Amino acid sequence: APLAGVIGLPIVHSRSPRLHTHWLKRYLIDGHYIPMPVMPENLAEVLRALPRLGFVGINVTIPHKEAVLTLADVVTDRAALIGAANTLIFRPDGKIHADNTDGYGFIANLRQSAPDWTPDHGPAAVIGAGGAARAVVASLLDSGVGELRITNRTRVRSEQIRSEFGARVIVYDWAQAGNMLEGSATVVNATSLGMQGKQPLRIPLDALSPDALVTDLVYTPLITPFLAEAQARGCRTVDGLGMLLHQAAPGFERWFGHRPVIDDETRRIVLE
Ligand code: ATR
């Protein structure tokens, strides 16, 4: 039976094993998906050993998403641009192929959750400039958004994104985050603020149009204070769980040969 899994540290909180195991059962596939805690100093050795143990690929999470790029034989353009990989394929010829499906998952979830959303509705506004934000920025630009506004507490990180991703990116100061929302059609929280046990994301929403689609990458809780506030202003919102589910689908298909469906049952299983 083919093996896949996820490496990270810590790894116990990962929802991926539940998700992939559900799909394996649902599609009657004889395979296994295993969570594996891996320390940074063991990463290279682990990547060499896994194919020999019968692994066809793995997901990669914190703190290994950047380091695997230097150890892979083939890196997709989008993984290189984002600067991180979340999906590895161990090819039969022994080569390690590294991809980043986070941005794909972000857009696929938007398209499934808000079918009438299109990138040409207007500017997109991204709050945050960390690893997750880079994937969101790459995918929004790729999908054809004409103007991408970005703000981050640490301004240099958004300026770095502008210098790498080009002139469609417009940097706003963290203190101007509220102004950034004016005229924005798509608004994304890509910071970790709003997560259970953390402070909520607090930016003035007075300029936010009720026509804007507002989404959050945080999914614990599903309705973050930021999404609740946007809803109160009449905005349609999309929660972050869908991105987690959609980013997992390409890996599952490559490893196990079946494109998984993402529906309410999938959401329920992962939340249980
Ligand atoms: P991830 O890979 O999940 O994006 P990250 O690269 O550590 O993780 O990025 C976390 C994001 O949340 C960053 O945009 C970070 O802002 P900084 O770049 O200024 O650190 C943002 N963030 C985390 N805690 C924050 C806080 N208390 N206030 C404002 N932004 C915060």
Side-chain angles (χ1 to χ4, degrees):
L3 302 177
V6 56
I7 60 167
L9 200 71
I11 202 63
V12 284
H13 304 295
S14 172
R15 308 256 178 167
S16 296
R18 206 177 294 188
L19 173 61
H20 286 272
T21 301
H22 163 67
W23 281 335
L24 287 168
K25 262 196 261 170
R26 187 162 170 174
Y27 300 116
L28 305 172
I29 295 168
D30 182 22
H32 299 280
Y33 186 97
I34 302 159
M36 296 169 284
V38 173
M39 295 203 288
E41 59 266 39
N42 296 330
L43 181 63
E45 200 182 329
V46 165
L47 290 186
R48 274 192 300 273
L50 287 175
R52 299 178 193 151
L53 292 167
F55 280 79
V56 291
I58 51 168
N59 286 126
V60 180
T61 187
I62 294 163
H64 304 309
K65 293 177 89 162
E66 290 84 16
V68 290
L69 288 186
T70 62
L71 298 166
D73 300 294
V74 183
V75 175
T76 62
D77 289 346
R78 58 185 180 178
L81 190 62
I82 294 165
N86 70 337
T87 304
L88 302 185
I89 294 147
F90 302 141
R91 302 197 317 204
D93 65 3
K95 295 236 188 302
I96 298 177
H97 178 276
D99 193 8
N100 191 314
T101 65
D102 285 333
Y104 160 81
F106 173 75
I107 294 289
N109 180 46
L110 267 197
R111 292 199 187 280
Q112 181 169 322
S113 306
D116 58 339
W117 178 85
T118 67
D120 52 22
H121 280 169
V126 175
I127 303 155
R134 292 177 72 89
V136 167
V137 167
S139 67
L140 282 168
L141 290 174
D142 210 38
S143 74
V145 161
E147 177 180 327
L148 192 141
R149 304 166 172 182
I150 188 163
T151 189
N152 193 54
R153 174 181 60 179
T154 311
R155 186 182 164 108
V156 286
R157 290 183 96 184
S158 10
E159 281 165 354
Q160 183 64 33
I161 287 180
R162 188 198 141 82
S163 76
E164 286 175 51
F165 287 83
R168 278 186 288 163
V169 177
I170 298 172
V171 174
Y172 283 73
D173 205 73
W174 186 240
Q176 300 300 313
N179 299 350
M180 176 178 80
L181 302 183
E182 183 159 5
S184 294
T186 314
V187 179
V188 186
N189 174 33
T191 72
S192 48
L193 293 171
M195 206 179 273
Q196 245 150 38
K198 280 204 144 205
Q199 295 167 345
L201 171 65
R202 275 202 205 87
I203 59 175
L205 299 189
D206 310 279
L208 179 65
S209 158
D211 298 328
L213 180 68
V214 180
T215 178
D216 204 319
L217 303 196
V218 171
Y219 58 88
T220 48
L222 275 180
I223 305 298
T224 58
F226 177 62
L227 289 187
E229 226 186 298
Q231 284 173 1
R233 288 176 177 273
C235 294
R236 198 146 50 116
T237 64
V238 173
D239 68 56
L241 181 63
M243 175 177 171
L244 173 82
L245 306 180
H246 282 275
Q247 63 78 29
F252 187 90
E253 182 176 16
R254 291 292 292 271
W255 305 325
F256 298 117
H258 195 295
R259 184 75 178 182
V261 164
I262 292 146
D263 54 17
D264 286 342
E265 191 193 357
T266 325
R267 286 177 65 91
R268 214 167 37 245
I269 298 273
V270 170
L271 286 173
E272 264 169 15

